[in-house]
């Protein structure tokens, strides 16, 4: 997957690390490949005819889906507001740097609940693509596409978007960015329909003001997400004195060299093998996204290892896509402890950084303060106004109070070992990284505490043609209201991931066996507004686990296949409702589904 925001030169999406292209190149099949291409050009007509027959109008498109808690897309009836607006009907063909842009006008009724329904159909061949929806300069939804098949696929994702009510209440430039490329081989365009439903449901209170931490390019009809490390992400804002709470949500995912950041090696080891089956990238498999206010660390995010539908093996993600692939969760950093410092009527800076780790030859570990190219990132500052603080201190006389920030150096432990073969070449690389981190920001009214732990172990053997990775990220973030009534809310999370891959060379083809096991675990006590992370307002428990086993065979662009089995168990308890679903897919079809 490549650029998801405009303004950059279109890049041929062939950089997917575990793509057969790498494997083919690395295995020295170039000569053979060019011979095949020459032959296949001769036969292209026939192949096209075949492709046309395969994709001739088929009445039923196969449904692909993300297992998640269903969100109802229905009216409230009683409220007097029950309006549906079609926000977009658009075909994303060759669409790099050409997002869909339209003017949004709020419906003429009093609403407090907004749900969107995104339905996409696609037919042919295509890579997975990243897509983002913006209301003006605010990125409000980040999703990715499924990889289509010759006879076509369809998916629908419904999302509660009420946390953005203050944006929905005024006219906006609606921008939907889905950069896609069409070639003779990659023929799939994405036909997308986006609807919004507005109703009044006595919903929870949501933010009064939402400021974007983005490149703010809506006036030039462009997507506003930053590319890191290329962009300077600093934005300056004056925070109104009436604000009593502030939470920053952060959207960030790796692309290109950073798409599989969770399996990256130490920067000194990217050239460890003479003739690797795929390129290795550096900065270790650890990533931290940091939120800075006036250059002071205000909080951090340890990202979920998202896997898009082309990741590891496409056969793993059809028709069940990876966890969160259709709705990339946005973790939150509560910056309320910083309010007394930034409500002095002056401008203050907000900045997002992404870092990996540098490991020196003698094993010293430090933040690299940069990463490979690239991460797509943006944030939203959710501001809640009320008189809570303003009444305790006269606004004008409020003294700027800097929060006490406790940011002890993280505990890093790394191991690394290279085993050489008989001829002295590097045969295997094993490494492990563990990080423990504590962070606290505290001022008169609030304290924000984060405590996280990360462990990963990787083994690349037989010059990288076999690899095994195990990873676990856990953490617990707590916001506590100090003084008076002590109240605290916490979000605990766990992201286990294990995958094994082995590459084989079968004469004219490269085969890959991929196995994975992963999970997403969230236990949150609830809190302010509608969380962009739990996607709920109250206590939330989300536990899901996916496992799969796939075989892929890559011959040429025209001929590759990937098939396998994927199992997913999902259980959630949110907003007082519990939901469970267990599904099993085999060779592209659903063979077991507890909800059907
Ligand atoms: C939508 O429908 C479901 C089931 O009929 C109902 O439980 C729910 O309250 C409805 N939601 C709204 C917003 O009306
Ligand atoms: C996408 O829309 C085009 C134009 O309406 C149509 O020809 C094509 O069949 C649609 N594709 C799918 C997969 O629905
Ligand atoms: C980033 O932008 C901010 C605000 O415009 C500016 O003050 C700062 O110097 C810039 N940083 C760099 C490294 O260019
Ligand atoms: C073995 O790996 C090390 C560390 O990545 C590298 O510096 C060295 O050049 C490699 N040796 C060979 C023979 O490739
Ligand atoms: C030893 O490792 C080198 C470099 O990775 C490789 O080129 C060579 O084929 C290996 N030799 C054997 C006998 O495996
Ligand atoms: C998260 O931390 C809070 C505050 O220390 C604690 O009360 C809570 O039990 C923790 N949650 C989990 C799941 O560990
Ligand atoms: C990967 O291989 C290791 C070692 O053989 C095994 O313990 C682990 O369970 C495997 N993981 C998966 C997802 O198959
Ligand atoms: C899945 O497809 C592969 C390749 O076509 C075949 O070898 C395998 O038996 C199939 N598995 C099942 C469970 O149908």
């Amino acid at each position: 997957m490549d650029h998801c925001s405009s303004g950059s030169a279109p890049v041929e999406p062939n950089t997917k690390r575990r793509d057969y292209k790498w494997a083919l190149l690395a295995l020295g099949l170039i000569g053979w490949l060019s011979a095949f291409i020459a032959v296949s050009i001769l036969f292209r007509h026939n192949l096209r005819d075949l492709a046309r027959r395969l994709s001739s109008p088929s009445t039923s498109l196969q449904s692909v889906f993300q297992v998640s808690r269903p969100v109802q897309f229905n009216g409230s009836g009683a409220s007097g507001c029950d309006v549906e607006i079609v926000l977009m009907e658009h075909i994303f063909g060759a669409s790099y740097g050409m997002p869909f842009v339209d003017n949004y006008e709020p419906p003429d009724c009093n609403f407090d609940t907004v749900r969107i329904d995104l339905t996409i159909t696609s037919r042919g061949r295509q890579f997975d693509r990243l897509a983002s929806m913006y209301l003006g300069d605010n990125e409000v939804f980040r999703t990715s596409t499924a990889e289509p098949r010759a006879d076509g696929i369809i998916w629908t994702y419904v999302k509660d978007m009420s946390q953005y009510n203050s944006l929905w209440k005024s006219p906006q430039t609606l921008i939907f960015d889905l950069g896609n490329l069409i070639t003779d081989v990659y023929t799939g365009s994405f036909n997308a329909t986006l609807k919004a439903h507005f109703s009044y449901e006595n919903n929870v209170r949501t933010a009064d003001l939402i400021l974007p931490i983005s490149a703010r390019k809506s006036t030039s009809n462009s997507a506003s997400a930053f590319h890191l490390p290329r962009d300077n992400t600093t934005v300056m804002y004056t925070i109104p004195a009436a604000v009593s709470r502030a939470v920053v949500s952060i959207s960030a995912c790796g692309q290109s060299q950073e798409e599989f950041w969770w399996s990256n090696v130490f920067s000194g080891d990217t050239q460890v093998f003479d003739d690797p089956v795929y390129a290795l990238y550096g900065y270790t498999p650890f990533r931290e996204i940091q939120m800075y206010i006036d250059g002071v660390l205000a909080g951090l995010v340890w990202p979920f290892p998202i896997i898009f539908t082309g990741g590891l093996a496409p056969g793993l993600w059809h028709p069940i896509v990876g966890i969160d692939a259709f709705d990339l969760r946005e973790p939150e950093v509560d910056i309320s402890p910083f309010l007394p410092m930034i409500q002095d009527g002056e401008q203050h800076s907000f900045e997002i950084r992404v870092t990996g780790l540098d490991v020196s030859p003698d094993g010293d570990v430090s933040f690299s303060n940069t990463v490979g190219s690239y991460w797509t990132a943006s944030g939203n500052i959710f501001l809640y106004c009320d008189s809570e603080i303003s009444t305790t201190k006269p606004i004008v006389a409020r003294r700027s109070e800097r929060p006490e920030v406790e940011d002890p150096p993280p505990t890093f432990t790394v191991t690394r070992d290279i085993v050489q073969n008989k001829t002295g070449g590097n045969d295997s690389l094993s490494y492990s990284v563990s990080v423990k981190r504590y962070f606290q920001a505290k001022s008169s009214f609030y304290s924000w505490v984060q405590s996280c732990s990360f462990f990963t172990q990787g083994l690349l053997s037989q010059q990288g043609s076999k690899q095994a990775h195990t990873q676990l990220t856990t953490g617990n973030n707590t916001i506590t209201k100090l003084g008076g009534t002590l109240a605290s809310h916490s979000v605990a999370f766990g992201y286990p991931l294990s995958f094994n891959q082995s590459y084989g060379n079968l004469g004219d083809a490269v085969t890959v066996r991929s196995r994975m096991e992963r999970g997403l675990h969230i236990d949150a006590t609830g809190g302010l507004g509608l969380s962009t992370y739990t996607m709920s307002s109250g206590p939330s428990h989300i536990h899901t686990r996916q496992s799969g086993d796939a075989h892929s065979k890559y011959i040429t662009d025209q001929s590759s296949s990937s098939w396998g089995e994927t199992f997913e168990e999902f259980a959630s308890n949110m907003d007082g409702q519990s939901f469970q679903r267990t599904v099993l897919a085999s060779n592209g079809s659903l063979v077991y589904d507890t909800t059907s």
Side-chain angles (χ1 to χ4, degrees), residues 2 14-19 22 25 254-273 276-287 356-358 371-375 429 431 460 467 469:
D2 274 280
N14 61 359
T15 48
K16 183 140 287 183
R17 177 133 55 106
R18 285 175 194 90
D19 248 345
W22 284 109
L25 290 174
Q255 298 277 278
S256 194
Q257 299 181 359
E258 290 282 314
E259 180 172 347
F260 304 102
W261 55 269
W262 32 266
S263 65
N264 282 14
V265 298
F266 298 179
S267 297
D269 288 333
T270 55
Q271 307 297 324
V272 67
F273 304 119
V277 281
Y278 44 82
L280 298 176
Y281 298 109
Y283 301 108
T284 81
F286 172 81
R287 291 293 176 276
L357 300 177
D358 279 337
V371 285
S373 183
Y374 61 86
W375 277 69
L429 167 69
Y431 61 102
L460 286 76
Q467 55 170 321
H469 287 261

Side-chain angles (χ1 to χ4, degrees), residues 69-278:
R69 179 181 70 136
V71 172
Q72 314 286 352
F73 190 65
N74 53 359
S76 53
S79 74
C81 182
D82 179 6
V83 175
E84 184 175 298
I85 297 178
V86 177
L87 298 174
M88 165 176 83
E89 273 184 301
H90 189 68
I91 299 177
F92 292 92
S95 54
Y96 269 105
M98 291 193 291
F100 167 86
V101 182
D102 199 7
N103 293 319
Y104 157 79
E105 287 290 335
D108 190 15
C109 64
N110 184 26
F111 62 88
D112 68 356
T113 303
V114 185
R115 299 187 182 88
I116 56 161
D117 171 320
L118 174 66
T119 296
I120 298 187
T121 61
S122 183
R123 186 183 285 132
R125 288 176 64 96
Q126 195 48 265
F127 287 103
D128 54 356
R129 306 293 187 187
L130 193 66
S132 283
M133 171 181 168
Y134 299 83
L135 290 176
D137 295 328
N138 297 82
E139 182 174 358
V140 295
F141 175 40
R142 188 177 293 187
T143 182
S144 72
T145 63
E147 294 196 346
R149 301 253 157 145
D151 42 3
I153 59 165
I154 180 166
W155 76 91
T156 291
Y157 188 78
V158 179
K159 182 175 172 67
D160 189 331
M161 295 284 267
S162 312
Q163 65 271 33
Y164 300 104
N165 277 342
S166 76
L167 298 173
W168 289 113
K169 298 264 175 181
S170 45
Q172 299 284 348
T173 305
L174 176 99
I175 298 178
F176 198 100
D177 188 33
L178 193 172
N180 189 25
L181 283 181
I182 301 286
T183 66
D184 277 0
V185 175
Y186 296 99
T187 54
S189 52
F190 294 99
N191 294 12
T193 305
L194 179 66
K195 294 185 277 187
H197 186 269
F198 301 82
S199 53
Y200 188 87
E201 301 181 13
N202 216 357
N203 211 331
V204 297
R205 163 127 193 253
T206 52
D208 299 290
L209 187 61
I210 308 171
L211 303 173
I213 303 178
S214 75
R216 296 178 290 180
K217 294 198 284 196
S218 68
T219 49
S220 54
N221 290 342
S222 300
S224 290
F226 290 117
H227 280 193
L228 294 175
R230 183 191 71 189
D231 294 341
N232 179 351
T233 65
T234 307
V235 292
M236 308 290 295
Y237 287 114
T238 303
I239 303 301
V243 169
S244 59
R245 290 294 303 276
V247 174
V248 174
S249 69
I250 295 178
S251 250
C253 60
Q255 298 277 278
S256 194
Q257 299 181 359
E258 290 282 314
E259 180 172 347
F260 304 102
W261 55 269
W262 32 266
S263 65
N264 282 14
V265 298
F266 298 179
S267 297
D269 288 333
T270 55
Q271 307 297 324
V272 67
F273 304 119
D274 282 352
D275 199 13
V277 281
Y278 44 82

Side-chain angles (χ1 to χ4, degrees), residues 414-435:
V414 297
T415 65
R416 168 196 173 268
D417 191 35
I418 290 178
V419 175
Q420 298 185 326
N421 65 17
K422 289 196 198 81
T423 54
N426 293 335
D427 190 61
S428 76
L429 167 69
S430 59
Y431 61 102
S432 69
V433 177
S434 101
V435 186

Side-chain angles (χ1 to χ4, degrees), residues 296-344:
V296 178
L297 186 64
L300 34 104
V301 169
W302 284 12
F304 173 70
I306 190 88
I307 304 180
F308 299 111
T309 59
L312 296 184
L316 289 170
W317 316 118
H318 189 91
I320 307 169
V321 304
I323 297 169
D324 286 1
F326 285 163
D327 189 0
L328 282 76
R329 220 170 269 283
E330 292 154 37
E332 293 158 315
V333 168
D334 198 313
I335 60 162
S336 301
F338 282 76
L339 285 176
M341 174 174 110
I342 58 180
Q343 287 178 291
D344 55 1

Side-chain angles (χ1 to χ4, degrees), residues 507-528:
D508 62 351
V510 172
T511 60
V512 188
R513 174 81 185 272
S514 314
R515 282 188 253 224
M516 64 81 194
E517 252 179 61
R518 58 199 295 238
L520 169 73
H521 302 281
I522 298 174
D523 290 287
T525 59
L528 200 56

